[in-house]
Structure formats: C-alpha cells, structure tokens
Amino acid sequence: AFDVRTGAESWAAATGGNAPRAPSTDGSLVFIGGEDGVIHAITASTGKVAWSHPTTAGRFQTTAVRDGIVYASGGLSDGTSELSALDATTGDVRWRFTSPDKAFLRSPTVDATTVYIESEDHVYALDRADASVRWVFDGASSEAAPTVAGDTLYMITTDATLHALDKTTGTGRWSLKLDAGVNVGTTVADGRVIVGTDAGEIIALGAAGLAPAAAASTPAPAPTPSATPAPVTFVGELTGAPDGLSQPLDTAVDPAGRTWVVESGRSGFAIFDTSGTSLERWGEAGTANGQFDFSRSRWPGQPYGDIEFDAKGGFYVVD
C-alpha cells in the first residue's frame, strides 16, 4: 500500500506465494488470492491480515467484492477451476461453483443479483445467492473479465469478436468482429464501448442505449461556436540508421530536444536530433553500468522498458 500523495510505502503484507493478479477492496479490507492457494483479507489501514482462507485452488484471478461477499476463482490440481463466494468479514464459504466444462475460469464480474464469469469455453451467469446457473453463453472467452453497463453485458471472445448480451437472459443484442485480438476488457462511458486491440488501436463503438439521459432542467445557452480544428497531418518518422530500429518500445525527449527511443531488440537506445537525424546508439545488453535488459524471460514476445527525463537532463530507466 502506498500513500497516493507521496508514493511512500504505507505497509507491505506477505501472501505466502506469487500474487499475479490485482486485489479488490471494500474500503476497509483488501482481498487477493495467490498461487499458494490462499485467499487473504488484509486490513487496508494497517496491512495486518484479518483472515486467510486456504483452498485447494491456485492461480487465482482478480477477485471481486460486493455487499459483504468476496468472489475468487482459481485453478484446481485436476485442471478444472472453481469460483468461491466467501464472507468478506470472516472468510467463511457461502458457496463454491466448479466449471461444468472443466475449463479454467476467468475473473468474475458482479452486479446486484448475478455473478458473470467466463471460462475458456463458455460464459456463465450465476445467481449470487446459491450459484445456480441462470444462463450460459457458448463461446471461448478472452482473458478479460466481462463489463456490465445498464442491462447489457459486454464481452470479447477469442475470435476477436465483441458481444453485447442481454444480462438477464444471455441472448445476443449485437456483435462485431474486430480486426485484431483483444486480451483486455472493455470500458463503457458516454454511450460508447471502448476497447484496445493487439494491433495498437483504441476503438470507440456507438451504443445508443447507453447515452446519458438529458437532464430535466432549463436548457443551457447554446455554446459559442469554436474554430474548426485543424486536420491531423503526418509530420515525419524515426527509422534509425543504417539498419532501422530494433523493436522500439517507447520514446522520451531530453531537455535539448533530442528523442531517445527504447530499442528492446538490443537493450539500448537510439538517439535522434530535433530534425529526426540519427545521432548515435547508446547502451547495450547486460547488467553493468550503461547496460540494460528489456527482455522478459517469462513472456519472450513481450519486452518491457522505458526512459524518462527530468528538467535538468537527468534520466531514469526501467528495465
């Protein structure tokens, strides 16, 4: 836990195993499941463990909490998966749900009456009281949890299709095939469904049924007309010299106006002047001073690295 104003660490609590997913909180307790098969409730103000509930599951997904109940899904040793509903105050089990299709369950989404959870093959709508199945949607889900907005459930399947379902019945309202895969969730705001794809695009889709209702008040005066914004125009590109950039990840501009490009393919930086002319390459792979590692052994195809400058020209690198 960190102070939001200063970034100073407030407390740290050990979980007993890798905790690869995000925690959830009801304001007083923080809930998280780890690969040790234990669901932990940690006091938000002090970091002290309020309770720990050992289970036969592991590899827990991001938990959800609502109305005094914590919902946590994790994998079982036989390859199946289980969703547990626990009392948020005591950790006592209210019910458990095992995936009928024997597939791994994703992170749950909860509204006032229903728990929505995806597996690798289906989406289930469960009664919050007893985990009875209200409806099943047949479709392999992505890694992302579904999003509920109004009376609609939004979810993405592994064939890169965005679905809008009636959350009460599970029947489809519309679907749209996207040009690239999506491994994160959707966001709903201002009558739009917004999603980011593996192709590096952010797409906003119209959803008229979600548009905010007009306020029942005296209409505001018409806004002053503004100038038509200039069209977006292409300025230029940095390609590197003489052999191009090696898996560029991110960029930063130093106080002199030079652009530094993180090159994950060689764990160094390509530096360009204000006109885009290549100046030099700096840094190399390794662990000594001036050496970096932008690769990730756990996800070889997903390198990581960044650079940022301060006002005096000092810079900070994360690898």
Side-chain angles (χ1 to χ4, degrees):
F2 298 89
D3 187 295
V4 296
R5 296 162 296 180
T6 66
E9 182 179 300
S10 298
W11 52 258
T15 62
N18 185 22
R21 301 295 182 179
S24 60
T25 181
D26 62 3
S28 59
L29 294 174
V30 176
F31 308 97
I32 191 165
E35 292 185 351
D36 57 352
V38 179
I39 301 171
H40 305 273
I42 302 166
T43 305
S45 59
T46 65
K48 294 183 179 180
V49 176
W51 54 260
S52 294
H53 178 79
T55 74
T56 56
R59 294 188 298 139
F60 277 101
Q61 300 291 300
T62 298
T63 57
V65 57
R66 179 160 182 161
D67 301 331
I69 304 295
V70 181
Y71 303 88
S73 59
L76 301 174
S77 58
D78 62 359
T80 61
S81 194
E82 181 178 83
L83 172 68
S84 299
L86 309 175
D87 186 289
T89 303
T90 64
D92 294 338
V93 177
R94 295 290 185 90
W95 50 255
R96 288 193 174 103
F97 171 79
T98 303
S99 57
D101 56 8
K102 309 300 182 184
F104 192 72
L105 295 171
R106 313 295 194 191
S107 300
T109 297
V110 185
D111 68 10
T113 61
T114 309
V115 180
Y116 308 92
I117 192 162
E118 300 170 321
S119 77
E120 294 171 339
D121 298 314
H122 298 92
V123 179
Y124 299 95
L126 310 176
D127 190 298
R128 280 185 58 191
D130 57 9
S132 57
V133 178
R134 292 182 166 178
W135 53 260
V136 179
F137 176 85
D138 186 8
S141 70
S142 69
E143 290 283 351
T147 300
V148 174
D151 57 0
T152 303
L153 180 82
Y154 299 93
M155 56 160 290
I156 298 171
T157 47
T158 53
D159 60 356
T161 300
L162 171 63
H163 300 268
L165 310 179
D166 184 303
K167 75 172 188 178
T168 303
T169 64
T171 55
R173 289 182 166 169
W174 54 263
S175 63
L176 179 68
K177 177 75 172 180
L178 303 172
D179 293 334
V182 177
N183 288 311
V184 294
T186 58
T187 295
V188 180
D190 296 330
R192 297 290 181 268
V193 182
I194 304 167
V195 62
T197 75
D198 292 342
E201 291 182 316
I202 298 176
I203 303 172
L205 305 172
L210 294 176
S217 60
T218 303
T224 302
S226 58
T228 302
V232 176
T233 57
F234 177 78
V235 175
E237 61 184 351
L238 304 177
T239 58
D243 54 349
L245 293 170
S246 179
Q247 293 182 283
L249 276 176
D250 210 341
T251 64
V253 179
D254 67 18
R258 296 170 298 191
T259 300
W260 293 52
V261 180
V262 179
E263 290 189 277
S264 65
R266 55 175 219 88
S267 290
F269 301 90
I271 306 172
F272 299 83
D273 67 15
T274 55
S275 67
T277 301
S278 175
L279 295 175
E280 64 173 309
R281 275 180 162 137
W282 178 76
E284 60 185 12
T287 58
N289 292 339
Q291 296 181 335
F292 307 94
D293 182 7
F294 298 137
S295 64
R296 290 201 290 189
S297 58
R298 187 173 181 182
W299 297 285
Q302 302 179 35
Y304 186 82
D306 204 358
I307 182 172
E308 195 68 46
F309 287 88
D310 63 26
K312 296 181 180 180
F315 61 91
Y316 306 84
V317 175
V318 59
D319 69 355

